[in-house]
Amino acid sequence: MARIEHVTHAADPRLADYVDLRDVELRTSMEAEYGLFLAEGEKVVRRAVEAGYRVRSLLMAPRWLESLSDVLDRAADAPCYVAPPELVEAVTGFHVHRGALASLERRPLPSVAEVLAGARRVVVLEDLVDHTNVGAVFRCAAAFGMDAVLLSPRCADPLYRRAVKVSMGTVFLLPYARMTHWYDGLADLRATGFQVVALTPGPDAVPLAEAPFADRVAVVLGTEGAGLSGRWTTEADLRVAIPMRAGVDSLNVAAAAAVAFYVLGSRTAS
């Protein structure tokens, strides 16, 4: 069971994992160096622990001790730092309205081949740099039955706190891997037997509802704003579009993902 330790000063060195959570550059380098990530909120913390991530520590206001007692029981001998909400805010740099945080150890990512083994419906993200969008796409993928996610080398980190929070912990449920190179990434995917489907508003795209999907499908989504690169659009086996009314030329990538995953799931369900 976790050790309860009360904290009274924001500068306490024991709270180093939780410092300045809104500083993206600091957090990215720090979390990579120490092999950790942060989970925020009762449900997300519980899902991380249930997924088997090892707890480094927890930080919470006193009122969360009872509702998270099951998590504390599973946290081995990790410390649980208990502090008033205003102290937690001083450490993290924002009001933690969900009241509880956990620092957890990262695990080595599986290879692309390991993630694709046995998968039928896969999401491929090309250079999404917004953590909110990455988290939202994971949540949509989990909701509509996608089997796995592949990330291009420059995609944002799914385990960054904001991505984890927006995903509501579904980043712990879906296997994912990061491609080691971008240029031939889709060719490698196709070689494993996947039909590569690019989601694009391009004029040569087939309406999503009419697309002839194969048994194994990889849906490719492009970066915010610019969309898919020319190379990945051209490399795709099939280009599909979500028909929209005049005056609207595109959707947010997470909204487009939700529509595409729903249609794909309804068309390829066993």
Side-chain angles (χ1 to χ4, degrees):
M1 181 175 178
R3 308 187 314 272
I4 306 299
E5 300 182 17
H6 291 272
V7 179
T8 57
H9 299 287
D12 193 315
R14 292 176 293 175
L15 303 182
D17 284 4
Y18 303 95
V19 171
D20 291 334
L21 296 189
R22 284 188 167 176
D23 188 328
V24 177
E25 185 175 348
L26 170 66
R27 296 302 309 184
T28 299
S29 61
M30 173 186 169
E31 292 180 15
E33 179 180 357
Y34 293 103
L36 64 90
F37 70 94
L38 271 290
E40 177 187 349
E42 178 183 0
K43 182 177 292 186
V44 175
V45 169
R46 181 173 286 108
R47 284 181 172 173
V49 173
E50 290 175 348
Y53 287 93
R54 185 176 179 276
V55 178
R56 288 168 57 96
S57 66
L58 300 108
L59 173 62
M60 64 185 69
R63 69 187 184 91
W64 291 98
L65 288 172
E66 182 176 353
S67 60
L68 282 168
S69 60
D70 59 315
V71 172
L72 299 179
D73 287 341
R74 299 178 64 171
D77 62 345
C80 174
Y81 303 122
V82 180
E86 57 272 17
L87 190 149
V88 175
E89 182 174 349
V91 172
T92 61
F94 70 101
H95 176 60
V96 186
H97 67 280
R98 296 184 184 273
L101 294 159
S103 174
L104 304 112
E105 291 188 359
R106 290 176 181 257
R107 299 192 293 233
L109 284 181
S111 67
V112 170
E114 290 171 326
V115 164
L116 293 180
R120 289 180 55 208
R121 299 193 292 265
V122 174
V123 187
V124 187
L125 303 182
E126 184 189 29
D127 296 354
L128 266 68
V129 297
D130 185 279
H131 294 98
T132 297
N133 283 333
V134 170
V137 171
F138 266 83
R139 189 172 182 178
C140 294
F144 296 114
M146 303 299 284
D147 298 318
V149 180
L150 298 184
L151 310 170
S152 74
R154 293 189 296 183
C155 256
D157 178 15
L159 290 186
Y160 186 76
R161 178 188 59 86
R162 183 64 180 167
V164 171
K165 180 179 178 181
V166 171
S167 81
M168 288 302 295
T170 54
V171 294
F172 310 133
L173 306 179
L174 278 176
Y176 70 91
R178 191 175 292 275
M179 295 175 169
T180 56
H181 59 280
W182 164 84
Y183 191 80
D184 293 322
L186 296 190
D188 292 345
L189 184 61
R190 187 183 298 105
T192 64
F194 279 88
Q195 176 195 38
V196 178
V197 176
L199 195 61
T200 172
D204 64 338
V206 177
L208 179 63
E210 301 171 14
F213 294 125
D215 181 59
R216 301 182 82 195
V217 180
V219 179
V220 185
L221 301 166
T223 187
E224 300 87 353
L228 283 170
S229 66
R231 176 169 179 80
W232 274 26
T233 301
T234 303
E235 284 281 301
D237 300 308
L238 180 66
R239 288 173 286 281
V240 301
I242 300 171
M244 287 173 276
R245 295 187 178 185
V248 179
D249 60 357
S250 65
L251 295 172
N252 168 271
V253 64
V259 174
F261 301 162
Y262 173 79
V263 171
L264 177 61
S266 66
R267 294 275 303 281
T268 61
S270 301

